[in-house]
Amino acid sequence: MLKISNLQVKYGKIQVIWGLDLEIPKGSVVGLLGPNGAGKTSTFASIAGLVSPFEGSILYNEVEVTNLNPAKRVELGISLVPEGRKLFPDMSVKDNLLLGSYQKRAKSKRKESLNRVLTLFPILEERLNQQARTLSGGQQQMLAIGRGLMSDPSLLILDEPSLGLAPIIVDDIFNAFKRINEEGVTILISEQHVHRVLEIIDKGYVIEQGRIALSGNAKELEGNKHIREAYLGI
Amino acid sequence: MNLDIIFNLILLGIIIGTIYSLIAMGLSLIWGVSRIINVAHGEFIVIGAYVTYYMFNTFHGDPSLYLIPSGLVVGLIGVIIQLLLYNRIVGRDHLTSLVLAFGVSIVLSGSMYILFTGNLRVVNSFYSEKSILIGSATVRWGAIYGFFIALILILLVFLLLEKTDIGRAIRAIAQDKDAAILMGINPQRIYLIAMFISAFLAGVSGNIVAVLYSFDPGVGESSYLGISFVITVLAGLGSIKGLILAGIFILTAQNFTSVYAQGLETAMGFLIMILFILFKPTGLFGKLLE
Ligand SMILES: Nc1ncnc2c1ncn2[C@@H]1O[C@H](COP(=O)(O)OP(=O)(O)OP(=O)(O)O)[C@@H](O)[C@H]1O
Ligand SMILES: [Mg+2]
């Protein structure tokens, strides 16, 4: 579904992604794992069109999207739930969700999408008219995921969704990812909590200093010596 | 000071204050959405006043007929200025945009002096000539007219911002541009729409101003820009409720000043603004200026 080849990203003169290759099969859950500053967010920003790589190509369903603007990519079905959520804090929960379905294709399925999100996260239904800033951290993350789903994506990208959340809430959110995936949405997720994410991914890539250090399925990664030492602490 | 006078000053404060809320609304909108302090806003208003003046002198009838045309002409001018100039500098620092907007302001007022001369103009109609008595206050029909037009337009803008997709997108860009882009919102398009609305409101305000007061090309800067600025700061960016309250508050305060210390009305407005900047820089209800 998504194929990245030789991605290279610079901020000014500083290069942070050095020839990254990554492939996401349709219907799968793929993890991008790595330490702080490795380049996970930069990779996601390139896929969503927020930064333009100076080299490399991104194919989405066989379509070259490398130079499309973010709006076109949303329309094609790519949805990014950004690091730190980036909600609209002074808007209601409902307005946040509706903004997720701003694009034409999503707008026509707005009712269905809203139902889907509220079924997935019933707590949001009780809070529809509250300002987003008044939600707890977990609820805010649910809202960010829900807003991402409102665009009716076929690829949902989640950038460190468990950041700063209590373990019980992380369980809820990871369960939601499983359900979203069962509904046919392909997922790309980045995490620092490697052991959590290994439970849900079909395949994982480890990114270090802007390069893919290794990749494999969950079993292979779990058994890998480097992963065990650097990420799992065992 | 007896109760009658107090009543009159407050009543006029509410009526004229609401009109000034409308006058300030366009400035506040562009400031909040594009982060540009459009100091040409005063000239936008005066252009609207001239459109009404010339259409009234040509076609006669009721000046309210020229309300929408004034809004549309200025709206179009705003769109052109946005496309040619402002779109190039959105996102830059305030100084860059201020200098550019000052340039626009000077070019517009200069052009008006050339095209329309510096003679004071008035639109003589029922609105400026006839008054009604509310309690013991004599209120010109033009003020009543302006008050209701302002109320209706403020309400329409409120509904647009709160209840429509475009309105949500405008608020989203104002609150967090990066997140808005992620939703598939095109900022340039939103800046353009916001500018059209802002300039339209200025043009409509120009119609009201023409019906109420005399004007020349210089009043945009001298009479309308400063107070729009004061009201915007007092209201806080992003709050329509704040805008109405600030308009009424400032105009009422100025009314009282004109009784106690005539000539210091303008200074009073700025004094209140400075106090707010010092002690409550987010304004009455603002969220956007930290
Ligand atoms: N806008 C930017 N301008 C300049 N440098 C940046 C920018 N964004 C990220 N970087 C740098 O690029 C490198 C990769 O950052 P990135 O945010 O992609 O990593 P990450 O894997 O998402 O890290 P984290 O786990 O902290 O979120 C870092 O060295 C970071 O300092
Ligand atoms: Mg990151």
Side-chain angles (χ1 to χ4, degrees):
Chain A
M1 156 165 279
L2 189 82
K3 190 172 189 307
I4 300 179
S5 335
N6 189 30
L7 184 75
Q8 311 212 24
V9 176
K10 276 184 192 174
Y11 294 110
K13 281 185 181 149
I14 302 164
Q15 181 154 357
V16 299
I17 304 286
W18 302 80
L20 179 137
D21 299 314
L22 194 145
E23 211 164 323
I24 302 174
K26 200 177 176 76
S28 63
V29 180
V30 171
L32 186 61
L33 319 173
N36 271 325
K40 304 180 292 294
T41 300
S42 304
T43 305
F44 291 173
S46 311
I47 301 173
L50 303 177
V51 304
S52 8
F54 75 97
E55 194 58 76
S57 94
I58 302 172
L59 289 182
Y60 176 74
N61 288 331
E62 257 84 86
V63 182
E64 173 86 46
V65 298
T66 323
N67 297 311
L68 292 185
N69 66 31
K72 294 230 174 67
R73 300 191 207 205
V74 176
E75 188 75 25
L76 285 175
I78 300 176
S79 180
L80 170 62
V81 179
E83 189 174 3
R85 306 176 195 120
K86 294 228 160 166
L87 295 172
F88 301 105
D90 292 325
M91 288 200 217
S92 67
V93 168
K94 188 169 185 194
D95 280 346
N96 269 276
L97 290 173
L98 293 179
L99 275 161
S101 56
Y102 179 77
Q103 286 288 316
K104 212 190 286 160
R105 184 178 56 84
K107 214 172 276 178
S108 64
K109 299 183 70 177
R110 189 172 260 181
K111 267 224 175 79
E112 292 162 67
S113 304
L114 194 60
N115 270 332
R116 175 195 196 184
V117 170
L118 297 180
T119 313
L120 201 57
F121 302 119
I123 186 77
L124 294 181
E125 180 144 30
E126 296 165 27
R127 305 280 146 100
L128 274 180
N129 295 316
Q130 260 173 253
Q131 289 201 325
R133 69 159 72 252
T134 66
L135 300 183
S136 71
Q139 292 162 0
Q140 289 196 11
Q141 188 60 54
M142 291 174 193
L143 177 55
I145 298 162
R147 189 183 64 175
L149 282 174
M150 288 297 292
S151 67
D152 190 33
S154 34
L155 174 63
L156 184 66
I157 306 175
L158 302 152
D159 196 353
E160 302 207 30
S162 72
L163 204 70
L165 299 184
I168 305 182
I169 301 187
V170 178
D171 286 343
D172 285 351
I173 285 179
F174 272 62
N175 283 333
F177 297 156
K178 279 188 213 155
R179 285 177 59 186
I180 294 167
N181 181 243
E182 280 158 18
E183 290 169 14
V185 179
T186 307
I187 291 181
L188 173 60
I189 178 170
S190 84
E191 266 299 328
Q192 293 187 37
H193 300 295
V194 171
H195 56 281
R196 290 308 281 274
V197 83
L198 284 177
E199 292 165 13
I200 64 162
I201 60 175
D202 301 308
K203 181 177 160 193
Y205 290 84
V206 177
I207 180 172
E208 286 172 1
Q209 295 177 344
R211 293 183 175 86
I212 297 296
L214 62 115
S215 65
N217 63 35
K219 273 242 160 54
E220 290 164 353
L221 291 177
E222 211 169 347
N224 183 283
K225 187 162 172 290
H226 176 64
I227 297 274
R228 295 180 77 87
E229 284 169 358
Y231 297 98
L232 296 174
I234 38 178
Chain B
M1 184 183 281
N2 68 37
L3 274 177
D4 264 1
I5 297 183
I6 294 178
F7 169 83
N8 292 352
L9 293 177
I10 293 177
L11 180 75
L12 276 176
I14 293 172
I15 292 174
I16 307 292
T18 305
I19 296 174
Y20 273 85
S21 301
L22 179 73
I23 285 176
M25 194 174 219
L27 182 81
S28 165
L29 185 69
I30 292 300
W31 192 346
V33 175
S34 315
R35 300 293 141 102
I36 291 174
I37 301 174
N38 181 28
V39 292
H41 187 68
E43 279 72 33
F44 282 17
I45 293 168
V46 181
I47 296 173
Y50 276 106
V51 173
T52 292
Y53 172 82
Y54 282 106
M55 290 189 82
F56 179 75
N57 279 1
T58 314
F59 306 114
H60 309 290
D62 192 291
S64 67
L65 291 172
Y66 313 121
L67 184 82
I68 306 285
S70 299
L72 290 177
V73 169
V74 181
L76 185 69
I77 291 172
V79 163
I80 293 169
I81 289 173
Q82 181 74 33
L83 286 175
L84 290 181
L85 300 168
Y86 289 170
N87 262 355
R88 292 165 202 266
I89 53 101
V90 223
R92 303 254 207 103
D93 57 312
H94 272 322
L95 187 63
T96 310
S97 59
L98 256 183
V99 170
L100 182 64
F102 259 121
V104 171
S105 161
I106 291 166
V107 169
L108 288 180
S109 64
S111 311
M112 283 193 282
Y113 275 111
I114 295 169
L115 287 171
F116 310 138
T117 77
N119 297 336
L120 269 186
R121 306 290 185 189
V122 281
V123 173
N124 284 316
S125 70
F126 158 79
Y127 293 110
S128 52
E129 287 153 5
K130 295 276 186 296
S131 310
I132 57 163
L133 209 61
I134 304 177
S136 63
T138 320
V139 184
R140 280 187 299 156
W141 275 107
I144 305 286
Y145 163 77
F147 173 73
F148 281 107
I149 297 293
L151 268 191
I152 291 167
L153 276 168
I154 291 170
L155 183 69
L156 285 178
V157 172
F158 177 78
L159 290 176
L160 176 93
L161 288 176
E162 291 294 321
K163 304 285 177 208
T164 68
D165 279 307
I166 287 292
R168 268 187 288 270
I170 291 174
R171 284 185 291 142
I173 288 280
Q175 277 186 30
D176 187 336
K177 183 178 158 194
D178 294 336
I181 291 173
L182 216 49
M183 303 297 105
I185 296 167
N186 176 347
Q188 301 276 332
R189 195 171 152 236
I190 297 301
Y191 297 145
L192 195 63
I193 293 170
M195 178 49 104
F196 177 77
I197 297 170
S198 166
F200 181 88
L201 294 175
V204 168
S205 307
N207 172 274
I208 296 171
V209 161
V211 161
L212 265 177
Y213 308 112
S214 60
F215 61 94
D216 65 40
V219 296
E221 205 200 319
S222 62
S223 305
Y224 301 116
L225 176 66
I227 192 151
S228 298
F229 194 81
V230 169
I231 291 171
T232 298
V233 169
L234 204 62
L237 287 183
S239 167
I240 289 184
K241 194 168 57 176
L243 219 48
I244 295 182
L245 288 180
I248 291 175
F249 178 66
I250 290 288
L251 267 290
T252 307
Q254 290 190 334
N255 284 346
F256 277 94
T257 312
S258 71
V259 173
Y260 280 113
Q262 210 183 359
L264 293 180
E265 298 90 339
T266 311
M268 185 56 160
F270 281 100
L271 179 69
I272 295 172
M273 181 181 80
I274 289 166
L275 290 176
F276 262 80
I277 290 177
L278 287 177
F279 298 110
K280 183 121 182 25
T282 53
L284 289 170
F285 294 102
K287 302 141 192 161
L288 292 175
L289 279 185
E290 267 88 46

